[in-house]
């Protein structure tokens, strides 16, 4: 299937969403230039750095390991800051235990069935790390690589540019893929992610961010009272291995209908066969807007306790909503509290899982001479 040019050729323009910024955030002082410090070392002695940056009411800490967002602090309705993402306090836990906390995901976000796909008549076998399937790029995906990081300031905005080159054959993927991901904090209370990639050989690519959110505060308890809206009338049901069947099923009349805001916990135990397979929500929603030339609003998350809100805009056709089903109380976060099932959730903008094996899904193929570009904007408010 040929490349969907709207995804990889069209440049990602500025987000066309109205900022529901924090009170006073628009008048906040310009962001400070990011500050670098040593965070730890890997077993082979490789240094891992942490970058701290702030702007528009947001404070963020990012690791060179996996491009991980370790902490992200935003104020509530009374101006009190709290970290709203799950993470660990040291590098050893990220290496040994992390379920992709805060990480950049590649070369292919989500699952590829049996770790296999065929491109231009050639079969490729990928690293298998999720039963018989390949998940989030394989056993050592982009989340487990050390990225080169370059800080920048651009007018009132501050951010980081992260670079990683994945060599031909890494985790079974064809082609040398050169990736650049830009994190930008704007003075309007936004965190913007811009992804770019090029290849020297036809390949597949689907980059995303795997931040775990709890708008009441990291480690504060369940997210089931969070209210979620997703602008999608369809989703992609899966088999027992959480691989899409190829159907684009309607959400109407099912627990998967988030077209109007509702608490996540309202229908999470409704007993729908798809929920039983995933132990909750772990599915791709087919966004009504499809692929767009610039990010458009697709989801809103609200915590009624703190008043914090998160609006997500993207140019991608899909959104994976994962309700933290496999958190089991064995992981201790940055705040010293353990994470239990449903203590955080993910909203991953993406192309559909297993797209290389479904000709009817939007294509994820990237060819030499083309540039993969996509953007997602997170707007925080209270």
């Amino acid at each position: 299937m040929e490349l969907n040019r709207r995804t990889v050729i069209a440049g990602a323009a500025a987000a066309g969403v109205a900022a529901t910024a924090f009170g006073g955030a628009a008048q906040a002082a310009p962001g400070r230039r990011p500050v670098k410090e040593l965070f730890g070392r890997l077993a082979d002695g490789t240094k891992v750095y942490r970058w701290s940056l702030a702007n528009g009411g947001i404070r963020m800490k990012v690791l060179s390991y996996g491009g991980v967002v370790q902490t992200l602090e935003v104020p509530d309705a009374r101006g009190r800051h709290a970290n709203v993402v799950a993470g660990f306090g040291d590098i050893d836990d990220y290496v040994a235990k992390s379920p992709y906390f805060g990480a950049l995901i590649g070369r292919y976000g989500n699952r590829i069935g049996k770790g296999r796909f065929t491109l231009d008549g050639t079969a490729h076998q990928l690293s298998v790390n999720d039963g018989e399937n390949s998940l989030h790029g394989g056993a050592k995906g982009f989340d487990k690589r050390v990225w080169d990081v370059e800080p920048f300031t651009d007018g009132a905005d501050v951010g980081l540019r992260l670079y990683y080159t994945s060599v031909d054959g890494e985790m079974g993927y064809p082609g040398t893929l050169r990736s650049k991901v830009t994190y930008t904090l704007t003075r309007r209370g936004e965190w913007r992610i811009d992804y770019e990639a090029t290849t020297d050989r036809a390949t597949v690519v689907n980059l995303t961010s795997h931040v775990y959110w709890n708008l009441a505060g990291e480690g504060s308890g369940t997210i089931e009272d969070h209210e979620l809206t997703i602008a999608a009338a369809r989703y992609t049901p899966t088999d027992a291995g959480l691989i899409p069947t190829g159907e684009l099923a309607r959400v109407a009349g099912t627990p998967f209908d988030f077209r109007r805001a509702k608490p996540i916990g309202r229908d999470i135990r409704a007993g729908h066969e798809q929920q039983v397979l995933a132990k909750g929500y772990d599915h791709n929603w087919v966004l009504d807007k499809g692929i767009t030339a610039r990010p458009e609003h697709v989801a809103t998350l609200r915590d009624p306790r703190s008043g914090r809100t998160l609006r997500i805009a993207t140019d991608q056709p899909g959104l994976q909503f994962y309700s933290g089903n496999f958190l089991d109380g064995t992981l201790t976060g940055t705040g010293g509290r353990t994470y239990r099932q449903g203590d955080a959730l993910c909203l991953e903008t993406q192309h559909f899982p297993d797209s290389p094996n479904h000709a009817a899904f939007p294509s994820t193929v990237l060819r030499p001479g083309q540039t993969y570009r996509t953007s997602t904007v997170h707007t925080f408010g209270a």
Side-chain angles (χ1 to χ4, degrees), residues 186-360:
T186 76
R187 67 180 305 179
R188 297 185 299 275
E190 299 166 339
W191 170 38
R192 181 184 177 105
I193 311 177
D194 295 291
Y195 305 87
E196 297 181 34
T198 59
T199 184
D200 61 0
R201 181 182 171 194
T203 191
V204 295
V205 59
N206 188 28
L207 306 182
T208 191
S209 170
H210 209 292
V211 168
Y212 282 69
W213 302 101
N214 186 324
L215 296 184
E218 174 269 340
S220 64
T222 183
I223 48 78
E224 290 189 10
D225 58 348
H226 282 39
E227 297 168 357
L228 178 63
T229 310
I230 304 175
R234 295 178 182 271
Y235 76 106
T236 52
T238 72
D239 63 17
L242 302 184
I243 300 298
T245 62
E247 179 187 5
L248 305 183
R250 294 189 180 277
V251 301
T254 78
F256 294 85
D257 193 349
F258 285 91
R259 289 175 294 176
R260 293 186 178 181
K262 70 175 181 180
I264 289 168
R266 177 180 294 174
D267 300 322
I268 199 169
R269 296 174 184 84
H272 190 283
E273 62 178 5
Q274 285 292 308
Q275 291 176 300
V276 173
L277 291 175
K279 297 182 171 59
Y281 296 111
D282 191 5
H283 293 78
N284 169 70
W285 269 253
V286 180
L287 299 173
D288 292 340
K289 70 173 188 61
I291 299 170
T292 48
R294 64 180 63 198
E296 295 184 8
H297 174 246
V298 296
T300 299
L301 183 68
R302 176 179 177 270
D303 170 44
R305 288 179 285 170
S306 66
R308 294 186 183 95
T309 60
L310 166 62
R311 288 169 53 88
I312 295 179
T314 187
D315 50 20
Q316 292 287 275
L319 179 76
Q320 185 84 9
F321 166 37
Y322 168 57
S323 54
N325 315 328
F326 298 103
L327 298 176
D328 60 5
T330 62
L331 304 178
T332 301
T334 51
R337 293 177 288 269
T338 57
Y339 299 138
R340 299 164 299 177
Q341 186 180 53
D343 278 357
L345 64 93
C346 301
L347 296 167
E348 305 154 63
T349 56
Q350 61 179 18
H351 267 54
F352 304 168
D354 202 35
S355 288
N357 294 312
H358 295 272

Side-chain angles (χ1 to χ4, degrees), residues 26-323:
Q27 289 78 40
R32 299 188 301 273
R33 185 173 178 82
V35 176
K36 177 183 178 183
E37 62 182 322
L38 181 65
F39 183 69
R41 296 174 186 267
L42 302 182
D44 64 0
T46 301
K47 294 179 179 179
V48 174
Y49 292 99
R50 179 169 64 184
W51 296 86
S52 300
L53 56 161
N55 201 13
I58 305 173
R59 304 168 185 163
M60 176 187 284
K61 293 184 178 180
V62 177
L63 308 182
S64 57
Y65 179 82
V68 164
V69 177
Q70 184 200 20
T71 65
L72 194 156
E73 299 181 7
V74 294
D76 64 11
R78 298 174 62 183
R80 299 170 300 187
H81 275 76
N83 174 30
V84 296
V85 303
F88 294 119
D90 63 68
I91 188 60
D92 292 340
D93 281 348
Y94 278 106
V95 172
K97 304 177 182 180
S98 183
Y100 307 99
F101 281 157
L104 288 174
I105 301 299
R107 190 177 295 196
Y108 196 96
N110 219 295
R111 294 173 175 85
I112 294 181
K114 295 182 172 56
R116 302 173 190 161
F117 70 93
T118 299
L119 178 59
D120 296 338
T122 300
H124 298 278
Q125 178 61 59
L126 306 176
S127 166
V128 171
N129 62 326
D130 183 51
E132 64 180 3
N133 303 316
S134 183
L135 174 65
H136 293 331
K140 193 174 181 180
F142 288 10
D143 62 295
K144 298 176 180 65
R145 307 290 179 170
V146 176
W147 293 62
D148 294 325
V149 183
E150 174 186 85
F152 71 89
T153 57
D154 183 9
D157 298 340
V158 300
L160 303 171
R161 299 184 183 96
L162 300 98
Y163 301 89
Y164 177 68
T165 297
S166 174
V167 299
D168 183 28
E170 185 175 279
M171 297 295 103
Y173 287 91
T176 294
L177 189 81
R178 291 176 171 82
S179 301
K180 171 186 173 184
V181 180
T182 303
Y183 291 167
T184 304
L185 297 185
T186 76
R187 67 180 305 179
R188 297 185 299 275
E190 299 166 339
W191 170 38
R192 181 184 177 105
I193 311 177
D194 295 291
Y195 305 87
E196 297 181 34
T198 59
T199 184
D200 61 0
R201 181 182 171 194
T203 191
V204 295
V205 59
N206 188 28
L207 306 182
T208 191
S209 170
H210 209 292
V211 168
Y212 282 69
W213 302 101
N214 186 324
L215 296 184
E218 174 269 340
S220 64
T222 183
I223 48 78
E224 290 189 10
D225 58 348
H226 282 39
E227 297 168 357
L228 178 63
T229 310
I230 304 175
R234 295 178 182 271
Y235 76 106
T236 52
T238 72
D239 63 17
L242 302 184
I243 300 298
T245 62
E247 179 187 5
L248 305 183
R250 294 189 180 277
V251 301
T254 78
F256 294 85
D257 193 349
F258 285 91
R259 289 175 294 176
R260 293 186 178 181
K262 70 175 181 180
I264 289 168
R266 177 180 294 174
D267 300 322
I268 199 169
R269 296 174 184 84
H272 190 283
E273 62 178 5
Q274 285 292 308
Q275 291 176 300
V276 173
L277 291 175
K279 297 182 171 59
Y281 296 111
D282 191 5
H283 293 78
N284 169 70
W285 269 253
V286 180
L287 299 173
D288 292 340
K289 70 173 188 61
I291 299 170
T292 48
R294 64 180 63 198
E296 295 184 8
H297 174 246
V298 296
T300 299
L301 183 68
R302 176 179 177 270
D303 170 44
R305 288 179 285 170
S306 66
R308 294 186 183 95
T309 60
L310 166 62
R311 288 169 53 88
I312 295 179
T314 187
D315 50 20
Q316 292 287 275
L319 179 76
Q320 185 84 9
F321 166 37
Y322 168 57
S323 54

